[in-house]
Coordinates of all heavy atoms in Angstrom, one line a residue:
G7 N 263.6 -43.2 68.3 CA 264.3 -43.5 69.5 C 265.1 -44.8 69.3 O 266.3 -44.8 69.5
P70 N 263.6 -44.7 89.8 CA 263.3 -43.3 89.9 C 263.5 -42.7 91.4 O 263.0 -43.4 92.4 CB 261.7 -43.5 89.8 CG 261.5 -44.7 88.9 CD 262.6 -45.6 89.5
G71 N 264.2 -41.7 91.4 CA 264.5 -41.0 92.7 C 265.8 -41.5 93.3 O 266.3 -41.2 94.3
E78 N 263.8 -53.3 106.9 CA 263.9 -53.6 108.5 C 264.2 -55.1 108.7 O 264.9 -55.4 109.5 CB 262.7 -53.2 109.2 CG 262.2 -51.7 108.9 CD 263.3 -50.7 109.4 OE1 264.1 -51.0 110.3 OE2 263.4 -49.6 109.0
L92 N 271.7 -55.1 95.5 CA 272.8 -54.9 96.6 C 273.3 -56.2 97.1 O 274.4 -56.4 97.4 CB 272.1 -54.1 97.8 CG 271.9 -52.6 97.4 CD1 271.2 -51.9 98.6 CD2 273.3 -51.9 97.2
C96 N 277.0 -56.9 96.8 CA 277.8 -56.9 98.0 C 278.0 -58.4 98.8 O 279.0 -58.6 99.4 CB 277.3 -56.0 99.0 SG 277.2 -54.3 98.4
N102 N 282.7 -53.9 98.1 CA 282.9 -53.3 99.6 C 282.6 -51.9 99.7 O 282.8 -51.4 100.7 CB 284.5 -53.6 99.8 CG 285.4 -52.9 98.9 OD1 285.2 -51.8 98.6 ND2 286.5 -53.6 98.7
D111 N 267.8 -31.0 90.4 CA 266.8 -31.0 89.3 C 266.3 -32.5 89.1 O 266.2 -32.7 87.9 CB 267.1 -30.3 88.1 CG 266.1 -29.9 87.2 OD1 264.9 -29.7 87.7 OD2 266.2 -30.2 86.0
D178 N 274.1 -27.8 103.0 CA 274.4 -26.5 102.3 C 274.5 -25.3 103.4 O 273.7 -24.3 103.2 CB 273.2 -26.1 101.3 CG 273.5 -25.0 100.4 OD1 274.6 -24.7 100.1 OD2 272.5 -24.5 99.9
T247 N 290.5 -30.1 97.2 CA 289.9 -30.9 98.2 C 290.2 -32.3 98.1 O 290.0 -33.1 99.0 CB 288.4 -30.7 98.3 OG1 287.8 -31.1 97.0 CG2 288.0 -29.3 98.4

Side-chain angles (χ1 to χ4, degrees):
E78 303 299 340
L92 288 174
C96 301
N102 57 40
D111 195 36
D178 187 24
T247 62

